[in-house]
Amino acid sequence: MAAFARRKAQWLARPDPSRKRALDARAAELVRLLNARECFCSASSCDGRVVVMDTDGTGIQKKNCTWLLVTHDPCVKGDVMAALKKATGDVVFKFEPFVLHVLCRGLQDAQLLHSVAIDSGFRNSGITVGRGGKITMAVRSTHCLEVPLSHKGRLMVSEEYIEFLVHVANQKMEENIRRIDRFHKGLERALEAADTLQKLCVPADTFPEGPEKSHSVYVRRRKRQTAQEQAEPSRELEPHDDTENSLGLFAEIMI
Amino acid sequence: MAAFARRKAQWLARPDPSRKRALDARAAELVRLLNARECFCSASSCDGRVVVMDTDGTGIQKKNCTWLLVTHDPCVKGDVMAALKKATGDVVFKFEPFVLHVLCRGLQDAQLLHSVAIDSGFRNSGITVGRGGKITMAVRSTHCLEVPLSHKGRLMVSEEYIEFLVHVANQKMEENIRRIDRFHKGLERALEAADTLQKLCVPADTFPEGPEKSHSVYVRRRKRQTAQEQAEPSRELEPHDDTENSLGLFAEIMI
């Protein structure tokens, strides 16, 4: 525990080029809430953003690409059109949702964070346990856009489509913000509940359903019957649609 | 251990509506490899697919949407055009990459799988530790497309764009297949290495770098300097670009 605290202090004190830009406002609030806790240390975060990038058309966006536009605010058609004028290759427009990486002192801490993230809509969240037992919780969402716009410098869509795309991206940004707020509130509640239990000195194994339930933060996930399941019963356990449903069914067997 | 084995047998024996469709070929091979191991049990999988869906425009695709087309094979412009003719709302074209969920007997088993997944390019992979200690490893990728095509039934792009989009989606499908093959080979090697160590009865704490290294399956991740980092040094630790880089830097401090 002392080792985690020492290293956390060292990490937070280091000069960080990405922090030259003020932390995105919502991410900043969450980061403060987390870093105020001994068991968490924020590693990286982004509120969500729209990106327009010029690529070489290989489809591998990490190589040979230029960023023409990046914004963490609602985007504007004019900015996108201006960015497109600078393009020479294959331009891709992306909306990337909120992402947050948190180093956790112990697995139960990561589980608490993970549960809150899933319940807030961040369904691609997951834990990593690295070398030496380092535990990271990544808050991630599937809620994105990735739209090819031009090919070898030639714009393949109309200006009207760009306006429509910007509207869709901004809608996603609004939903993204709602999820961040849900996550923030959920995290506050979960941490308060954990504090309350700690003050009451309630042992972790008091509750018959298992140690995790003693945190009182694992909200029972509602099994939602989606339109897909109604239309295509064979799709009930499709891995993309609702991970939690298929794994929930497994869980019923595994308990 | 016996409990995991019993429940695995029960899970694999259950009638599964999603399995009415023959397992995607590549997923089937991986599933066989995993299920042959006592410590793994496949929960759900998909090789990767193109989906065209008609939505109500709320941006929440789980509600009120109809699937017009789904294919796990390279898609064809004609099929997409035919699907679009049936649309009445806001149509979205998606490429969804390989996804695989595996229940793991222990955390080290999940870590092995996770390491292979990350090294194969599935950078959004993560572990879940659920109620009662159930461990799941989800193999996930960021490699996707999500493209709005029509608004209130009106197609917003040209047929030429659809052809271009289909070409881009098929490129992503090819890269997706390469990653699955890398994952398969990497998994075979990792499992062989783990078997070799077990036969040699090498204790987990023999190696000075820590228990995970004794598996010899954690390939040192190369720090790749991307075009973004060259162009925008302040972006070095951007959480979306290369999670492993920013966490790798943290790891250097934390070790």
Side-chain angles (χ1 to χ4, degrees):
Chain A
M1 273 174 58
F4 183 89
R6 269 197 316 271
R7 291 159 184 164
K8 172 178 173 175
Q10 190 182 359
W11 171 256
L12 293 176
R14 67 187 282 281
D16 179 355
S18 72
R19 296 205 191 104
K20 283 179 186 165
R21 183 195 80 227
L23 271 176
D24 307 329
R26 283 179 176 78
E29 279 302 309
L30 269 164
V31 160
R32 268 191 282 276
L33 177 64
L34 288 160
N35 286 336
R37 292 280 171 163
E38 288 179 359
C39 59
F40 297 127
C41 176
S42 67
S44 60
S45 65
C46 176
D47 265 3
R49 63 190 182 188
V50 162
V51 170
V52 177
M53 55 172 70
D54 199 1
T55 76
D56 64 357
T58 57
I60 304 166
Q61 286 167 15
K62 289 267 165 271
K63 294 184 177 175
N64 308 322
C65 73
T66 308
W67 285 47
L68 304 176
L69 172 69
V70 56
T71 177
H72 299 260
D73 298 313
C75 68
V76 172
K77 183 187 86 170
D79 290 345
V80 178
M81 297 306 297
L84 285 167
K85 285 189 167 60
K86 296 182 272 183
T88 56
D90 289 24
V91 172
V92 181
F93 176 104
K94 297 176 78 170
F95 168 71
E96 293 173 338
F98 175 65
V99 68
L100 172 68
H101 296 107
V102 185
L103 285 300
C104 305
R105 189 172 58 188
L107 197 55
Q108 260 188 324
D109 306 311
Q111 284 176 279
L112 181 149
L113 210 53
H114 183 265
S115 188
V116 175
I118 295 291
D119 288 333
S120 307
F122 296 106
R123 293 186 302 124
N124 266 8
S125 301
I127 298 168
T128 304
V129 182
R131 282 176 288 166
K134 286 174 294 299
I135 301 167
T136 312
M137 224 301 287
V139 181
R140 294 194 207 101
S141 176
T142 51
H143 194 229
C144 68
L145 281 174
E146 181 160 334
V147 186
L149 291 182
S150 66
H151 183 49
K152 294 183 182 173
R154 183 184 154 224
L155 189 60
M156 304 292 288
V157 295
S158 64
E159 193 167 328
E160 187 191 15
Y161 179 80
I162 300 289
E163 184 159 8
F164 168 55
L165 182 61
V166 160
H167 170 75
V168 173
N170 289 339
Q171 269 188 318
K172 288 203 181 259
M173 184 68 87
E174 286 164 19
E175 172 59 23
N176 177 64
I177 287 168
R178 283 190 289 270
R179 288 183 191 187
I180 296 174
D181 290 342
R182 276 206 299 273
F183 178 74
H184 195 163
K185 291 186 174 72
L187 184 58
E188 281 177 331
R189 277 195 307 266
L191 294 175
E192 276 171 34
D195 286 346
T196 301
L197 283 168
Q198 200 169 31
K199 283 176 193 153
L200 293 173
C201 299
V202 176
D205 58 1
T206 294
F207 296 87
E209 283 152 291
E212 292 86 348
K213 282 301 253 184
S214 69
H215 279 284
S216 307
V217 299
Y218 289 89
V219 177
R220 192 172 297 279
R221 292 184 192 119
R222 298 176 300 278
K223 289 198 169 61
R224 296 178 293 275
Q225 196 181 16
T226 67
Q228 278 88 344
E229 288 159 20
Q230 288 165 346
E232 299 179 59
S234 65
R235 286 184 40 77
E236 184 180 326
L237 296 179
E238 282 290 335
H240 296 274
D241 287 346
D242 188 349
T243 298
E244 301 316 312
N245 268 352
S246 63
L247 295 176
L249 282 161
F250 183 94
E252 287 171 21
I253 289 173
M254 292 295 275
I255 290 169
Chain B
M1 273 172 59
F4 183 88
R6 268 197 315 273
R7 292 159 184 163
K8 172 176 172 176
Q10 192 182 356
W11 171 256
L12 293 177
R14 68 186 280 279
D16 179 355
S18 74
R19 295 204 191 105
K20 283 180 188 166
R21 181 195 82 226
L23 269 176
D24 307 328
R26 283 178 176 79
E29 279 302 310
L30 269 164
V31 160
R32 267 190 283 276
L33 177 64
L34 287 160
N35 287 336
R37 293 279 171 164
E38 287 179 2
C39 58
F40 297 125
C41 176
S42 67
S44 59
S45 65
C46 176
D47 265 2
R49 62 189 183 189
V50 162
V51 170
V52 178
M53 56 172 70
D54 199 1
T55 76
D56 65 357
T58 57
I60 303 166
Q61 286 165 15
K62 289 268 166 265
K63 294 185 179 177
N64 308 322
C65 73
T66 307
W67 286 46
L68 304 176
L69 172 70
V70 56
T71 177
H72 300 262
D73 298 312
C75 67
V76 172
K77 183 188 86 170
D79 291 345
V80 179
M81 297 305 297
L84 286 167
K85 284 188 166 62
K86 298 181 272 181
T88 56
D90 289 24
V91 173
V92 181
F93 176 105
K94 297 175 80 171
F95 168 73
E96 294 172 338
F98 175 67
V99 67
L100 172 68
H101 296 107
V102 185
L103 285 301
C104 305
R105 189 173 58 187
L107 198 54
Q108 259 188 324
D109 306 310
Q111 283 175 281
L112 182 148
L113 210 53
H114 183 265
S115 187
V116 174
I118 294 291
D119 288 332
S120 307
F122 296 107
R123 293 187 302 123
N124 265 10
S125 301
I127 298 168
T128 304
V129 182
R131 281 176 289 166
K134 285 173 293 298
I135 301 167
T136 312
M137 224 301 286
V139 181
R140 297 194 206 99
S141 177
T142 51
H143 194 228
C144 67
L145 282 174
E146 181 159 335
V147 185
L149 291 181
S150 66
H151 183 51
K152 295 184 182 173
R154 182 183 155 226
L155 189 61
M156 304 293 289
V157 295
S158 64
E159 192 166 330
E160 188 190 13
Y161 179 80
I162 300 292
E163 186 159 8
F164 168 56
L165 183 61
V166 160
H167 170 75
V168 173
N170 289 340
Q171 270 187 320
K172 289 205 181 257
M173 184 67 89
E174 287 164 17
E175 172 60 21
N176 177 64
I177 286 168
R178 284 190 288 270
R179 288 182 191 187
I180 296 173
D181 290 343
R182 276 204 298 272
F183 178 73
H184 195 165
K185 291 185 173 74
L187 184 58
E188 281 177 332
R189 277 194 307 264
L191 293 175
E192 277 171 33
D195 286 345
T196 300
L197 283 167
Q198 197 168 34
K199 281 177 194 154
L200 292 174
C201 299
V202 175
D205 59 358
T206 295
F207 296 88
E209 285 152 289
E212 291 88 344
K213 283 298 254 185
S214 69
H215 280 282
S216 307
V217 300
Y218 289 90
V219 176
R220 193 172 297 280
R221 293 186 192 114
R222 299 176 300 277
K223 289 199 172 54
R224 295 177 296 274
Q225 197 183 18
T226 66
Q228 279 87 342
E229 288 159 19
Q230 288 163 347
E232 296 180 61
S234 65
R235 286 182 42 75
E236 184 180 328
L237 295 180
E238 282 292 333
H240 295 273
D241 288 345
D242 187 347
T243 298
E244 301 316 314
N245 267 352
S246 63
L247 296 176
L249 282 162
F250 183 93
E252 289 173 16
I253 290 173
M254 292 296 275
I255 290 170

